[in-house]
Amino acid sequence: MFDYTFISKIYRLLLVVFIVTGAGRHVFGQKEIGDLTLHFELTAGNNQHLDSNMIKTAAKTLYVRGGMSRSTIHFNGFSQSIIYNQNGDKAFVLYHLNDQDYMSVLTKAQWKDQYKRYKGMKVNIQKDAASKKILGYSCIKAVAILKDGTEINMYYTPELKTTVGDNPYEFKEIPGLILEYEAQVMHKYKITFTATKIDFGPVPASRFIIPKEGYRLLDPNKLKGE
């Protein structure tokens, strides 16, 4: 029988770092982007309990094409991708570990349940706070406050937004494209994601193809530890 333990732990860890990187209300003069490739680097600050080598080798890439998005994070031979079509009824999570490929298919209800801790989240846009330049864009600070009191800092540019974000449940109230954000790991340690490269060229449709074979299906409920 397949041992879910390792992938389950990684899956739950990565759920907190796959936050939406584009969405929000329309802003006057804002450019809506239908094709986007956005690369992020990860830093762990002074979190001594996090494997610094793992963080140094980790990276995240967001792909957007029309109503489809794909977020991919990889480190130390492991990778996870979430493919989402805003007009579809499922989300697909692909894993690569030890030269093996796995896939989990979530219904809309299951996908929403993965992010239930963000329900009722409050977003505080701090336009009076000091802004910062990221990739040449002036970014405004925003603080997302979850029901459990967790605060997540981020910086977004109001100049851009994407046609679809990583998923429809997180940070939908951010009125622009997020270029830096924090993610909380194990409800204790913080990792910062900072955009390092942005490409507005056409994104190949092949990025969003759902594999028909070669992947072993994993039960999403088992990955949640249920």
Side-chain angles (χ1 to χ4, degrees), residues 132-139 157 159-160 177 179 198 200:
K132 65 166 60 177
K133 283 272 191 180
I134 304 175
L135 295 179
Y137 294 96
S138 294
C139 295
T157 172
E159 297 178 47
L160 304 171
L177 180 66
L179 295 179
I198 189 167
F200 300 112

Side-chain angles (χ1 to χ4, degrees), residues 14 111 131 139 162 164:
L14 291 182
W111 185 228
S131 62
C139 295
T162 53
V164 63

